[in-house]
Amino acid sequence: MKAQTGSGDDVGLEDSSQRENQPDSSWQENQPIRANASSSSVASAYFNNKIIIPEDQQHPIFSFKKLWAFTGPGFLMSIAYLDPGNIESDLRSGSVAQFKLLWVLMSATFLGLLMQRLSARLGVVTGMHLAEVCYRSYPRVPRLVLWIMVEIAIIGSDMQEVIGTAIAFYLLSDGKIPLYAGVLITIADTFTFLFLDKYGLRKLEGFFAFLILIMVVTFGYEYVMVAPDQPALLRGMFVPFCEDCGPDQVLQAVAIIGAIIMPHNIYLHSALVKSRDVDRTKRDHIQEANKYFFVEAAIALFISFLINVFVTAVFAEGFYGRNITQVYDSCIEREVPHASVFNTTNLEVDIFRGGVFLGCQFGLAALYIWAVGILAAGQSSTMTGTYTGQFVMEGFLNLKWKRWIRVLFTRSIAIFPTILVASFSGIQDLTQMNDMLNVLMSMQLPFALIPILTFTSSESIMGDFKNGRLMSVFTALLAVLVIGINLFFISVYIHSLPPHWAVYVAVSVLVILYLTFVLYLCLSCLKRRETPYVLSESISGTSLDLDSETPDFGSTINTSEFGSMPNTGTADFESTPNTAEFGSTPNTSEYGSRANTSAVEKDHTKRNTSSQ
């Protein structure tokens, strides 16, 4: 890895094409698949420059200087753990179970860290994000279905984030900014903030860090004001038991897991790690990147966990056990805006009512500080959601659209239904729609977990960095557990649908189709294959590329990624010398001489030999 060069804002940044690729003779076997130039997200300004990893010979085991260079992707990823959907899940957890479900929150965050570890490893080892690997690994129809499922998850999350931001504007303006106007403002400022990356990747990451800092300060302030019972908090965090819990508490525990582990976030993290200039020709550099990305992700998720604990504890101490009369009287006494939301028979809380409640109990300052925190959560998660939509569309469809067109398209899909609801419904309808969106995203979870487990356990994709047997079994059981919990959450929600035969028939058909596709992905995961589907189909002469002029891994001269083969009439990865990524002539390939051929090319040679 190179030392940092330049000065000012350009320190640590260099175009990735300037990196020198020196072969590592010590790494000769089981080399993983890597992206060629066409596989990178060329349309994403996020990857126009890459941060150079500095050398630190004085600290070979652990270097804070290198950790700082790797810091960024994990914090952007952690924002998905702090979106308005998670904040609402936290406050409801505290309001219905006090501190008793904090251990569920901590466990879900830990499980999320394991999944993010796999996501980051895939991006580091292959140089491709999850959507790009799916594009090269699944046949056309399953790939398009998978893309649709992931887009649904992104749209659902995006709607939650826009709703949260609109509610924050509504609270801050005392209702003067209507909900539909808040949605439109969110669209405009998202476009504005996204173009911060034109001024440097570090500035963009710094802006996200600033938004996270706002959440720490605002929700931390609420935590200090409420002063929760610390022994009860610690007991709820470390004792995995929920005393005297009923169906409401169990359902809320399931909702916590569904809100924490977001399917599209796994796709996002695998793309964000590509922003660091890691020399993938050297095994020790890949190991180093995996280590520092994991440490950074652990730190980022620990901070997000603390913020979630702040919110849960505030409502566990301040709201739990109160009745509607007490809350409403407090609102009238302090003359808090929107006090009428508690002039009802049922005491419920959500993002909007939670802010009003804090104003009733602790003064108007608490209400406005809460709204600022929600605004930071909604704005930051909306921006990362937009990035996710871009990466997923580029990866699954191999699109090369202009940046502003792609942003406009992905934003419009999510914004249009939200504007309709905000224009013709009240704020209560927006918060109720939040519950439906949580269920929707829970259903999409298998379409991120199964592919990431499939690819990170594949030797042809990950090489020596594939999951070990113990890790594969553990993560598979984890995926089954998470998917089962979310299916339970979905089954509970189905009972609330209208009791009509047409509804049950439609739901039955959708469930059958859904389970069939999940089963297909599971069978694909269990099937041991030496090369991805796309390689097998390329061998048979079938291209999976949506654009025939841009083959998947390169089957034309001078564009192959996997090295050259003798022109026997059956070779598919033909290329001329000095152009193959895996090379075939001495001292010209990236990975060394012909004797050091990759596992994929060795397999291809065997295929040609047997066919002859």
Side-chain angles (χ1 to χ4, degrees), residues 499-568:
H500 191 275
W501 67 269
V503 174
Y504 290 123
V505 169
V507 169
S508 299
V509 172
L510 292 175
V511 168
I512 292 174
L513 294 175
Y514 174 84
L515 294 178
T516 300
F517 188 58
V518 171
L519 180 62
Y520 167 81
L521 294 177
C522 292
L523 293 177
S524 300
C525 181
L526 295 175
K527 180 181 178 182
R528 290 179 61 87
R529 60 183 188 274
E530 296 179 355
T531 55
Y533 290 123
V534 67
L535 299 184
S536 301
E537 296 205 17
S538 294
I539 289 171
S540 64
T542 303
S543 174
L544 295 183
D545 220 333
L546 297 180
D547 183 0
S548 59
E549 296 180 359
T550 310
D552 288 333
F553 280 119
S555 58
T556 60
I557 295 176
N558 299 331
T559 59
S560 170
E561 179 185 358
F562 290 104
S564 63
M565 298 292 297
N567 190 4
T568 61

Side-chain angles (χ1 to χ4, degrees), residues 51 140 183 189 222 410 488 582:
I51 293 179
R140 181 187 298 270
V183 173
D189 60 24
E222 308 286 2
T410 54
F488 169 77
F582 278 45

Side-chain angles (χ1 to χ4, degrees), residues 209-222:
F210 175 70
L211 293 177
I212 294 176
L213 178 62
I214 290 177
M215 286 184 270
V216 172
V217 173
T218 54
F219 297 132
Y221 170 84
E222 308 286 2

Side-chain angles (χ1 to χ4, degrees), residues 5 66 68 110 175 290 313:
T5 58
K66 289 187 176 182
W68 174 250
F110 176 74
N290 286 334

Side-chain angles (χ1 to χ4, degrees), residues 41 50 56 132 136 164 184 196 233 246 319 340 376 514 536 590:
S41 300
K50 292 193 176 184
D56 192 353
E132 291 174 324
R136 289 156 174 79
L184 295 175
L196 284 175
L233 185 149
F319 189 87
S340 59
Y514 174 84
S536 301
E590 181 178 351

